Amino acid sequence: MKWMDFKYLAAYSIPLSVLLGYYAGGIFYWLTPVYTFGLVPVLELILPVNTGNLNQTEREQKKKLVLFDLLLYLNILMVYAIVFYTLYLLKFGEHTPLEIAGIIFSCGIAMGSNGINVAHELGHRPDRLSKTLAKVLLLPSLYMHFYVEHNFGHHLHAATKEDPATARFNQSVYSFWITSVLRQYRSAWQIQMRLLQQDNKGFFSLQNDMLWGGLLECVYLVLIGIMAGWQIALFAVIMALVSILMLETINYIEHYGLLRHKMNTGRYERVQTIHSWNSNHVMGRIMLYELTRHSDHHYRASKKYQLLDYHQESPQMPYGYPTSMVLSLFPPLWFRIMNPLIPADMKPQAA
């Protein structure tokens, strides 16, 4: 174990900023949004880009190191602690509407970065424990269907028009939020019913993740409503929405404008490292558990985050993921920066 193995502790800086903001109060309730989408993008511009890959010896060592798994598991305790403390703060504290908004946005960002993002990593693991923990992390975001659609839909259809989570050329992030959320939910149900049919399972089978996940989400909100009041339950829904929009903004930048070609057989070409946007900016890499090396993730979905590689042929984002998320909120600027970087044969006029 080397001291550099602890670099992923930087992922905890977002929950830490939430707690510091809550402790300071007032305008500091907005500390997390300012840190995540203000300070981090500045640091990404200052710090060097790291394109290095592990050698075979390092790969074997880090593959077996339990530390990297423990760093993921700790997020479960942190996310739930922050969610329930946030609900407690909203219930018993006296806050202005601006402060309430800051509290909700701060918690939602932590739920997205340390909740949904970590659930994404765990959901790709082969063991049942990791898959279960992934679903547990998705519960506060009310997005448990993400497990079904992402693993059985997105990774099959990524960079095609059939994929709800692939943003099309010149599609704004605001349009994508709507189409992606609605189409992913519908797709998740279609996938779930197909999986049940393949396994000869009925609708009320324990394997119906869509049914039981939806019921768990309802129970979660009802319990909050009964214990803390329905206004607090509404705040919990808004917090979940913030985390969902954070996820969908990441989805937007991950495959924007990239398309796989159809072969003469009518099938799409295999997913390659050219079908996802890659970023080697160090802050985004370590804060998002190497999610920014998305090209290699789609190439080998089962590969653990600490082992992901940089591929020179992958399309490279000029900025890190946090910076790119901010830029995507300004569609004309986003199109001006990103459209020229999309391979010519993937643009609509080349089809």
Side-chain angles (χ1 to χ4, degrees), residues 34-46 283 322-324 326:
V34 171
Y35 168 67
T36 307
F37 298 114
L39 179 58
V40 171
V42 172
L43 291 175
E44 285 192 316
L45 293 175
I46 297 174
M283 284 300 293
T323 306
S324 299
V326 175

Side-chain angles (χ1 to χ4, degrees), residues 75-94:
N75 283 282
I76 301 170
L77 297 176
M78 285 195 301
V79 167
Y80 272 88
I82 286 176
V83 167
F84 289 125
Y85 182 62
T86 299
L87 297 176
Y88 173 85
L89 196 63
L90 291 169
K91 172 65 176 177
F92 296 104
E94 294 184 4

Side-chain angles (χ1 to χ4, degrees), residues 191-209:
I191 292 169
Q192 183 67 82
M193 298 310 294
R194 185 172 68 249
L195 291 174
L196 290 173
Q197 188 177 29
Q198 289 175 356
D199 295 336
N200 293 318
K201 302 290 185 179
F203 183 79
F204 293 101
S205 166
L206 290 176
Q207 277 70 47
N208 189 340
D209 286 322

Side-chain angles (χ1 to χ4, degrees), residues 22-268:
Y22 288 0
Y23 176 78
I27 194 65
F28 289 99
Y29 285 130
W30 286 91
L31 177 62
T32 300
V34 171
Y35 168 67
T36 307
F37 298 114
L39 179 58
V40 171
V42 172
L43 291 175
E44 285 192 316
L45 293 175
I46 297 174
L47 296 175
V49 173
N50 184 353
T51 60
N53 292 331
L54 301 174
N55 59 42
Q56 191 58 38
T57 302
E58 293 172 326
R59 192 179 306 279
E60 290 302 318
Q61 291 174 343
K62 295 183 186 295
K63 190 175 184 179
K64 302 173 183 176
L65 201 57
V66 179
L67 169 69
F68 296 111
D69 292 333
L70 293 178
L71 290 174
L72 292 179
Y73 299 150
L74 186 56
N75 283 282
I76 301 170
L77 297 176
M78 285 195 301
V79 167
Y80 272 88
I82 286 176
V83 167
F84 289 125
Y85 182 62
T86 299
L87 297 176
Y88 173 85
L89 196 63
L90 291 169
K91 172 65 176 177
F92 296 104
E94 294 184 4
H95 310 289
T96 67
L98 182 63
E99 290 172 345
I100 291 174
I103 292 170
I104 289 174
F105 270 93
S106 294
C107 185
I109 290 171
M111 289 163 62
S113 64
N114 297 76
I116 299 179
N117 181 48
V118 174
H120 163 259
E121 172 70 23
L122 291 174
H124 281 291
R125 302 289 174 88
D127 61 290
R128 179 168 294 183
L129 174 62
S130 294
K131 294 180 184 296
T132 301
L133 293 177
K135 298 170 188 176
V136 169
L137 269 174
L138 291 170
L139 174 58
S141 293
L142 309 178
Y143 224 53
M144 295 183 74
H145 64 278
F146 172 80
Y147 170 82
V148 175
E149 210 293 321
H150 181 84
N151 288 282
F152 300 100
H154 175 63
H155 272 264
L156 178 64
H157 300 297
T160 72
K161 294 179 180 180
E162 284 75 19
D163 179 37
T166 293
R168 299 189 181 187
F169 184 79
N170 273 344
Q171 181 180 17
S172 75
V173 70
Y174 304 107
S175 166
F176 179 78
W177 285 347
I178 298 171
T179 60
S180 182
V181 170
L182 295 179
R183 290 181 63 206
Q184 281 192 71
Y185 186 73
R186 182 179 65 182
S187 173
W189 268 111
Q190 292 171 342
I191 292 169
Q192 183 67 82
M193 298 310 294
R194 185 172 68 249
L195 291 174
L196 290 173
Q197 188 177 29
Q198 289 175 356
D199 295 336
N200 293 318
K201 302 290 185 179
F203 183 79
F204 293 101
S205 166
L206 290 176
Q207 277 70 47
N208 189 340
D209 286 322
M210 291 297 294
L211 172 62
W212 303 115
L215 288 175
L216 280 174
E217 291 170 354
C218 291
V219 170
Y220 167 77
L221 289 177
V222 169
L223 287 176
I224 293 174
I226 293 173
M227 298 176 67
W230 298 109
Q231 183 183 43
I232 303 303
L234 176 60
F235 287 155
V237 172
I238 300 173
M239 285 156 42
L241 180 61
V242 172
S243 69
I244 290 169
L245 294 183
M246 186 174 178
L247 164 70
E248 294 303 341
T249 305
I250 291 176
N251 277 340
Y252 176 80
I253 67 175
E254 283 175 338
H255 301 281
Y256 170 74
L258 301 178
L259 288 174
R260 289 150 59 192
H261 297 296
K262 275 191 175 180
M263 301 180 293
N264 294 332
T265 59
R267 299 171 66 91
Y268 284 102

